[in-house]
Structures are given as structure tokens and as C-alpha cells.
Amino acid sequence: MWKQFRVAMLLLFWMSLLTGVAYPLLTCAVAEAFFAEKAHGSLVRRDGRIVGSRLIGRWYEEGRYFWPRPSATGPGPYNGASSSGSNLGPLHADLAKGRAARQAALWEVDKGNRRAAPADLLTASGSGLDPHISPAAAAYQAERVAKARGLRGEQVEALIAAATEGRQFGILGEARVNVLELNLSLDDLQ
Amino acid sequence: MTGADGLQIVLFLGVLLAAVKPLGGYMATVLEGKPHPLRQWLKAVEDGLYWASGIRPEQSMPWRVYAGALLAFNLMGAIAVYGLLRWQAALPWNPQGLGNVEPHTAWNIAISFATNTNWQNYGGETTLGYFVQMAGLTVQNFLSAATGMAVLAALARGIAGRSTEGIGNFWADIVRSTLYVLLPLSLGLAIALVSQGVIQNLDAYQQTAHGQVLPMGPAASQVAIKQLGTNGGGFFNVNSAHPFENPTPLTNFLEMLAIVLIPAALCYTFGKMVGDTRQGWALLAAMMVLFLPLLAVALGSEYGGGGNWEGKEVRFGIANSVLWAVATTAASNGSVNAMHDSFTALGGLIPMFLMQMGEVVFGGVGSGLYGMAIFAILAVFLAGLMVGRTPEYLGKKIEAFDMKMVSVAVLAPPFCVLLGTAVAVTAPMGLSGLQDRGPHGFSEILYAFSSMGNNNGSAFAGYGANNVLVNTAGGLAMFLARYWVAVPVLALAGSLAGKKRLPAGAGTLPTHGALFVALLAAVVLVVGALAFLPALALGPVVEHLRS
């Protein structure tokens, strides 16, 4: 029996070196050599400063920006240090309240718009860091943003189109609009 | 649901089924210790590991020795993880300076990763440094999956063996599964993931000009093996819903495929090792017979009423979120790309029930298939009772001792789940973490113990389960569910190995036809339903009727 434990300890040690040190470091080395920018988080820079990651959403609450989805991270929305969904059950009272409050806020910032917002704009994402909204959610906000910035509708639509990705290879996933890229391109315009 | 959604599901199933034969055949070659191209390359590493650890790979072990080696190895693994967690602050590669982990939390994590459960009572980015993630958790991701493959290989050898005592060498099985199957697949997947944007670095967390913190770390290498090894423990709190773990629809497709790839292919491996590949296909068919209708119900529920987007990510959409949820609970993976707690009542019931059926529809790497083989023996036993003949499976007579081991293995997980749930709902501390009251609150607790008591690891994450009671009871449930099944399976393997292999006669129930597939699926369904319908009625069923 003691012999089994000795083998167990030794094999665990060597396997830890192989799978716990050599394997991750080899992956790091390959990543560094071929995909360095992605391996370090697909960071977006302006004037040499990091302004975000194109994969991680950021919170916007002014009318002149496109709004991302609600986020349930704590203590504030889009806290990259603490990813989280709301995890509210389907019948939880806070779920309906949260949706109503979000819809009211969208109407408040966009006077005259009484259309119902697309579902993704009213619901918290799984990660709380979803970088995307649906094309419908972008279209829903286009007029408001154009008005707030004194831009023509076509200008904003062109920027939306540039920040939109279709289904990958035409099949996988969903069409989506990257909110950070879209808002940065709005700022770059002016 | 659109045609494009349906196409993605068909594509997923098509690629999966196409991979079964080539990968399954390769794994049989590896587990039988036969030569193959990769072995010529890595022979020196394999032999070096044997030499350095004092292993004689040609020595075939009787089942008691095999089980002893398994328990010793897994115990050492759990102790190592526990130690790393408790002394984290003193370890390198911890740029955030994350502190030592509490004893009860560390106990739960150690058992969780050693048993291939990967239940997470912590948030990765706020609790664990890179060294612990790599040298502690990633290592167990490999070794717990290899342990599952080893037990399956031992069972297959027990069935194929003729009046022998040995069921293989545990150490050689671990080394070969890791070196020739899990490592190369993980390395390939990790690099594919990085090419799409999954992070892989040892940097400190970045801060943007606006004060947003961006977590960093060696995620890709861990994500790859946690998907392939049916582990499921995420690098970050929200697992594969996190854009740094799963940034694009392509990474989602690959990670989802990785969940079920090895468990499905092992069916072919098993068939090959027992000398009749039709037997493996029959087990896989029974899995699909259960998988597809349950997937359809979950899809229907989540698409109902205009679609449930709460807790789901835009880039995946509803179809990929549901397909993932069903795959991750059918297999005992437990990673998530959407929050199951926010699924509709029926959409949440399906993942829960898939776990409760004992994690045999794909199930864990190795453990799913040995679980399914146990159910197959139960099915031939029931058929034998109907016609009054001694049951046989794959040429081996099934006798009293064998049926005792089968019964223990079938009953252990429901026992852990129901007892753990009962303890948690009667203790104030068990109820303290609930986010929802009423039926959904009960569902949260039932889901937690269904997950831990079947070594899955996914959660209704609204349930704050990081307290002394749930950590301790859950740790016990995970431990018993893993070894109270694995050890009887090894005993069964030993018992079968000692028997003569009989040729199939006129009275033998063929175990490769449609009739047997239907019987097997029905047995799995009925055993799961008998054990869990009363509990499900109190949770998701009530919730569904209220909505």
C-alpha cells in the first residue's frame, strides 16, 4: 500500500510539471509568437492609453452614446474584475421590475420614442460584460444618437454597419453590433 | 427559432458523429498500449515518466490493487490542490496578490476538481492566482479525466478478458490517456481559442483610462482542457459566458463540441476493446435517443414567449445557449455559456434532469460510459427476469455479486443528491444563500446537489453556496458520487475478468439492436424518473404551472 502512495506522489509531481507548468507555458509561447495582441486581451488604445477591450463591454448611460445591455456585475455595471449574471429566476419580481425600469429609462432619454425596445436591451447578459447588442437594438437607438450629436441618420447607420458582424462563416452564432467600437467611432468622428 | 438556428444544431451533431469513429479508434489503440505515430515521438517522455515514478507498465493489476492505486492517486491530487489553495499567498504568478483560501472553501474546491466535478463556490478572477489555476486546477482537469478513462478501460478489459485476474495497469492508463489523448487535443484547442481572442498571458490585470478593470491570465490552456475533460471549472466566475473565455461563435462551437467529443468517441473505443463495435454504437444510440427529445423540449421552452434573453449573450443567441446547457449537463461537464438560473422553468428542468439520470447521456470522460454500461447490465438483467434466464452481457454471465455492484453504482448518486438536498433545505445555513423563495428557491438547492451528487459542476448560480454547510455536504456528495460508483465498477470489472467468455446462444439477448437501445434508454429514464419526479414536482414543475 505504501508503495502505491509513493508512486502516486511521484507521478503527481511529474504530471503537474507536464500539464500544469509545461503545457500552459508552451501555450503562452505559441500565443505570444502568433497571436500576441489577442493573447493579451484584444486591447483598444487611443493616444497610447488603454480605453477598453474589443471583447469586453463598457457602461454608457448618456443619450449621445449607444447603450449596451444591462449588466448585473457588482458593485457597478460592467465591472471587469467581477463577472456575473443576474441569476434571477424566471418569476422573480426584480426581473420584471428591472425590465420596466430599463424601458422607462430608454424612453426618458429618447423623448417621443414609445416603441418597445428589443429584448436584449432590457435583459442582463450572462457575463455582465457582453460587448454586443443585436442589430435591432442598435437600430432602435440610432435616431436618438444622431439627434443628440447633430449627425445625419445615414452617418450613424454607416457607423453601425461598420461595427456589425454577421454570423461567423454565415452560419455560427448571431449577428451583433460591438457597442464599444461603435461609440468610439462616434467620438472619432468629432 | 429560425432555419439558421436549426442548421447550427445539425452541424454540431454532424461534426460530433463524424469524429466518433476516428477518435474512438485512436483512443482504443492508446489504451491497449499498441504502437501509433504519436507514441513514436513521445515514447521517451512516456518511458521517462514510468522510470521517474517507479512504474512497471506491463504489470496487470487485480481490481483491488487497481482501485487502491486510483484512490491513492486521487487523494494525493486533492491534498495537493488543498495545499496550494491554503498557501496561495506565498506562491508565484499571483500579480493581484490574492490571499489564502478559507479551509471549507478549499476543501470543496479540492474534492470538486479531483472528482471531475468542478463545482465552483468561488469566482476565479477574484479568488485564484495564476499558479493555482495552472499547477493546481489545470493539472486535476487532466488527471481526473484520465482517471475516468482508466476506469472505463479497466471495465472493457474485464469484459474482454478470459478467466484472468488483471484488469490493466492504472498508472499506464493515466500516463497514456494524458500524454496521447488529452494533452495533444488540449494544446490544439487552446491555440485555436487564442487565435479567436481567448486570453493567454501572465500579466497583471489591466486598467483602462476610464477605470474599468480587465482581468488577465492563462485562460486558453485551462479552458481547452476543462471543456475536453468534462471538467467545466471556468477560469472566470461566469465560465464560458465570459468574453475572454469564449469570445466568438466559433470558439463557442469548438468548446461545445469539446464537451461531448471524448465521451461520445469513447463509445466506439469501448466497442473496439470488447471486440464488437456494434455494442459501442448501441450505447451511443441510446444516449442520442435520450438527448434529442430533451434538447427539443428545452429549445421550445426558451424560445417561447418571444425568447428568454436574461442571462444569455448576444453573440451566441438562444439556440447556442440552450444547446450548450443541454450538452453540458448531458455530459458531466458543467461549464456554462449562459446562466441556467434564469432559464424558464422547463428550460431549467431539462439540464437538472439530465444530471439526475446519473450523467450517463455522454456523461463524464470515461465515467459517463461506464455508467451507461452499468445501466446496460441492469437492462439485460431486467430482460432476463422477464424470460427467466440467467442474464449475459457481452458473453459474460451476470451473477449475484455483479448485480450487487450494479445496484450500488446506480443508487449512490440519487442517494447523495436527495440526502444532500434534504439536509440543505432543513438547515438555516442551507437556506441562507437563496436568492429566490418558493419553488425556484427549492430548484436552486436541488440543482446544486444534483450537480455535485453527479459530478457535473454547473449551478443555478443565484444560490450563494459558499458556506460551511453546503461546502462540507457538497464535498461529501461529490466524493461519494465519484468513488462509490468507480470502485464498484472496478469490482465488477474484476469479477467479469475472472469469468469465461461464452459464445452467444439462441437464448442470448442481442445487445446491439434497436430493441435493446429502446430498452436501455427506457431503463435510464425510468430509474431517473422514479428517484426524482417527486422532487422535481416541488421545484420546476410548480414553477412552470405558475408561469
Side-chain angles (χ1 to χ4, degrees):
Chain A
M1 202 62 210
W2 169 240
K3 190 179 161 272
Q4 298 277 46
F5 276 100
R6 211 181 72 99
V7 176
M9 252 186 287
L10 286 170
L11 186 61
L12 179 65
F13 175 77
W14 293 114
M15 286 304 226
S16 297
L17 277 188
L18 185 66
T19 61
V21 180
Y23 157 68
L25 293 185
L26 177 63
T27 312
C28 277
V30 176
E32 207 64 53
F34 296 100
F35 312 105
E37 183 261 337
K38 285 177 167 153
H40 291 278
S42 308
L43 301 176
V44 181
R45 289 188 167 82
R46 286 289 186 277
D47 309 322
R49 296 167 72 202
I50 299 169
V51 294
S53 159
R54 65 177 301 275
L55 297 180
I56 304 282
R58 202 180 106 191
W59 183 239
Y60 291 94
E61 52 189 344
E62 295 156 73
R64 44 196 238 98
Y65 286 110
F66 282 87
W67 287 11
R69 299 181 64 189
S71 158
T73 63
Y78 288 89
N79 177 7
S82 184
S83 59
S84 177
S86 77
N87 286 309
L88 293 172
L91 301 182
H92 200 292
D94 290 355
L95 199 57
K97 266 189 236 161
R99 275 176 212 182
R102 173 74 170 190
Q103 180 66 75
L106 282 162
W107 283 336
E108 175 64 32
V109 74
D110 190 6
K111 297 274 180 338
N113 177 5
R114 296 297 292 175
R115 287 170 295 140
D120 60 298
L121 218 44
L122 302 178
T123 48
S125 62
S127 61
L129 305 172
D130 196 340
H132 300 114
I133 53 178
S134 65
Y140 180 85
Q141 306 182 63
E143 212 182 302
R144 178 195 86 214
V145 173
K147 223 189 294 171
R149 289 178 176 259
L151 295 170
R152 281 175 291 113
E154 309 85 82
Q155 281 176 297
V156 173
E157 273 157 33
L159 293 179
I160 293 178
T164 303
E165 285 176 88
R167 289 176 186 265
Q168 209 166 1
F169 314 118
I171 299 173
L172 298 177
E174 300 270 335
R176 57 210 183 277
V177 181
N178 189 307
V179 179
L180 178 71
E181 287 185 344
L182 178 55
N183 283 333
L184 287 176
S185 69
L186 279 169
D187 282 348
D188 288 346
L189 212 57
Q190 285 154 348
Chain B
M1 194 168 155
T2 64
D5 297 329
L7 188 64
Q8 295 187 59
I9 293 169
V10 171
L11 186 68
F12 169 76
L13 294 171
V15 173
L16 174 66
L17 291 177
V20 165
K21 192 175 167 183
L23 180 61
Y26 169 70
M27 287 192 291
T29 310
V30 168
L31 289 171
E32 284 170 339
K34 291 184 184 153
H36 51 88
L38 197 57
R39 195 174 190 199
Q40 289 175 339
W41 274 57
L42 294 174
K43 187 89 175 70
V45 179
E46 187 188 345
D47 290 344
L49 285 167
Y50 295 148
W51 175 80
S53 315
I55 294 165
R56 280 186 290 163
E58 68 291 339
Q59 213 169 43
S60 190
M61 300 170 168
W63 81 263
R64 283 193 177 80
V65 179
Y66 199 100
L70 182 151
L71 292 175
F73 191 55
N74 280 213
L75 182 69
M76 287 296 150
I79 291 173
V81 173
Y82 184 83
L84 290 173
L85 290 166
R86 296 286 295 129
W87 283 282
Q88 172 168 257
L91 296 169
W93 289 330
N94 183 2
Q96 300 316 113
L98 296 165
N100 298 336
V101 180
E102 288 288 306
H104 62 91
T105 309
W107 139 268
N108 190 285
I109 299 175
I111 300 290
S112 174
F113 278 75
T115 56
N116 198 253
T117 311
N118 305 43
W119 168 265
Q120 293 178 282
N121 56 1
Y122 61 91
E125 64 268 49
T126 51
T127 316
L128 300 182
Y130 304 154
F131 189 79
V132 171
Q133 295 262 27
M134 286 160 49
L137 305 190
T138 301
V139 171
Q140 288 305 312
N141 282 349
F142 278 98
L143 300 182
S144 64
T147 299
M149 288 174 74
V151 175
L152 177 71
L155 178 64
R157 287 187 204 111
I159 291 170
R162 287 159 210 272
S163 314
T164 68
E165 211 195 358
I167 52 172
N169 186 294
F170 174 74
W171 310 116
D173 285 341
I174 291 288
V175 168
R176 287 172 189 155
S177 315
T178 307
L179 199 57
Y180 300 132
V181 179
L182 298 171
L183 257 181
L185 283 175
S186 298
L187 189 61
L189 180 58
I191 291 166
L193 293 179
V194 177
S195 78
Q196 288 286 302
V198 178
I199 57 172
Q200 178 74 18
N201 59 58
L202 298 172
D203 302 346
Y205 294 4
Q206 302 281 353
Q207 193 156 21
T208 70
H210 311 271
Q212 188 184 31
V213 173
L214 299 173
M216 292 286 136
S221 55
Q222 185 164 335
V223 171
I225 181 61
K226 72 124 164 146
Q227 295 304 110
L228 283 162
T230 59
N231 298 286
F235 196 85
F236 300 111
N237 184 40
V238 292
N239 214 297
S240 280
H242 200 294
F244 275 165
E245 274 197 45
N246 194 2
T248 67
L250 178 61
T251 58
N252 189 68
F253 185 83
L254 294 174
E255 289 180 23
M256 206 157 53
L257 194 64
I259 291 175
V260 283
L261 181 67
I262 296 180
L266 278 172
C267 292
Y268 188 85
T269 310
F270 178 77
K272 191 130 197 205
M273 287 180 79
V274 300
D276 182 359
T277 50
R278 293 174 308 176
Q279 305 292 343
W281 287 115
L283 296 178
L284 185 59
M287 294 176 180
M288 294 303 273
V289 164
L290 292 164
F291 183 83
L292 293 175
L294 292 175
L295 173 64
V297 173
L299 280 169
S301 186
E302 289 303 299
Y303 272 105
N308 174 15
W309 275 96
E310 183 72 23
K312 297 189 178 72
E313 301 277 304
V314 169
R315 61 192 178 283
F316 310 139
I318 293 175
N320 283 307
S321 302
V322 175
L323 181 57
W324 184 300
V326 173
T328 196
T329 49
S332 79
N333 190 288
S335 63
V336 297
N337 75 349
M339 295 302 116
H340 293 186
D341 210 350
S342 298
F343 274 28
T344 57
L346 288 184
L349 182 149
I350 298 295
M352 208 183 316
F353 189 57
L354 275 162
M355 296 188 293
Q356 289 165 346
M357 283 194 295
E359 290 298 7
V360 295
V361 180
F362 300 118
V365 165
S367 63
L369 188 58
Y370 65 66
M372 195 51 135
I374 289 292
F375 272 104
I377 293 175
L378 186 60
V380 293
F381 175 73
L382 292 176
L385 285 183
M386 288 182 219
V387 297
R389 273 184 55 92
T390 309
E392 300 160 18
Y393 184 57
L394 306 176
K396 292 291 170 91
K397 261 199 186 130
I398 306 300
E399 293 165 302
F401 176 81
D402 310 313
M403 280 319 294
K404 276 185 205 154
M405 294 300 114
V406 166
S407 310
V408 171
V410 166
L411 293 177
F415 174 80
C416 296
V417 172
L418 293 172
L419 199 70
T421 306
V423 168
V425 294
T426 43
M429 196 187 270
L431 297 172
S432 65
L434 284 183
Q435 180 174 254
D436 295 64
R437 297 283 150 181
H440 194 76
F442 181 73
S443 295
E444 286 182 342
I445 296 181
L446 181 62
Y447 195 103
F449 280 91
S450 298
S451 175
M452 290 190 278
N454 285 289
N455 300 130
N456 180 277
S458 66
F460 272 10
Y463 183 41
N466 190 11
N467 60 53
V468 176
L469 177 89
V470 179
N471 278 336
T472 312
L476 274 174
M478 291 187 276
F479 181 85
L480 292 175
R482 178 74 165 176
Y483 303 109
W484 206 351
V485 179
V487 174
V489 167
L490 288 175
L492 178 71
S495 158
L496 294 180
K499 298 182 190 196
K500 287 196 295 253
R501 202 157 187 201
L502 308 168
T508 307
L509 173 71
T511 49
H512 56 261
L515 182 66
F516 183 73
V517 168
L519 178 67
L520 176 55
V523 169
V524 173
L525 196 63
V526 168
V527 170
L530 282 176
F532 289 104
L533 273 188
L536 288 171
L538 294 174
V541 174
V542 170
E543 199 178 14
H544 177 66
L545 295 175
R546 274 195 186 177
S547 59

